[in-house]
Amino acid sequence: MLILYALMIMPIVRAFDYSSGDDASASLTAVEGFAPMWAWAIFFYLGALVLAYGVRARRHLIVYLGHSILAVTYSALAVGILAASLTRPWLDGVRGASVLILPTLMHWLIWWRTGPAPIKAGEAVTVEKVEGPR
């Protein structure tokens, strides 16, 4: 649950940062060419709020939707920053893209693992096996 809460708080902090000012770093120029920073903030706020509501209401599909929004938003942001850094000397800005890798992968992993519908209790198969040398 601690990881899930962190995955809800991180996009809110990022959205607040993007919505609080116009002084974006040089690594965000390609991202700003696609959409202004306040628009990115809306997607981060939306994803975090949908995810938080889904967790609070215990609605599997809404949690799945929240992870979907955040996974796509983080992915687009990471690709935009990485693409801009590849054209600069010394890969200036690659650190900004690398920071986004972990939350991006976590949202995609949880999105893939949970699926749009929960696993039914009768359909789950548990296999426990301990093997060693014979």
Side-chain angles (χ1 to χ4, degrees):
M1 288 304 290
L2 185 62
I3 292 173
L4 186 59
Y5 290 143
L7 289 173
M8 286 186 270
I9 292 170
M10 286 177 5
I12 291 174
V13 171
R14 185 168 293 275
F16 178 75
D17 180 38
Y18 289 170
S19 63
S20 64
D22 294 329
D23 54 339
S25 68
S27 63
L28 294 173
T29 54
V31 172
E32 282 186 302
F34 181 74
M37 295 314 294
W38 60 264
W40 288 98
I42 289 172
F43 282 110
F44 279 113
Y45 279 132
L46 178 67
L49 292 175
V50 167
L51 180 59
Y53 174 74
V55 169
R56 177 74 175 120
R58 296 186 170 271
R59 300 291 306 257
H60 185 90
L61 185 60
I62 297 173
V63 170
Y64 178 76
L65 180 62
H67 283 296
S68 301
I69 293 168
L70 289 171
V72 169
T73 305
Y74 271 115
S75 296
L77 188 66
V79 167
I81 293 173
L82 183 63
S85 70
L86 293 176
T87 62
R88 290 199 183 93
W90 299 97
L91 299 176
D92 183 33
V94 76
R95 182 180 54 195
S98 68
V99 169
L100 298 172
I101 291 173
L102 185 60
T104 302
L105 290 177
M106 290 299 294
H107 284 292
W108 278 119
L109 180 65
I110 295 171
W111 171 86
W112 175 70
R113 174 61 184 95
T114 59
I119 298 172
K120 294 182 177 132
E123 296 176 5
V125 178
T126 304
V127 177
E128 291 189 33
K129 192 186 226 184
V130 177
E131 292 187 21
R134 292 185 179 198

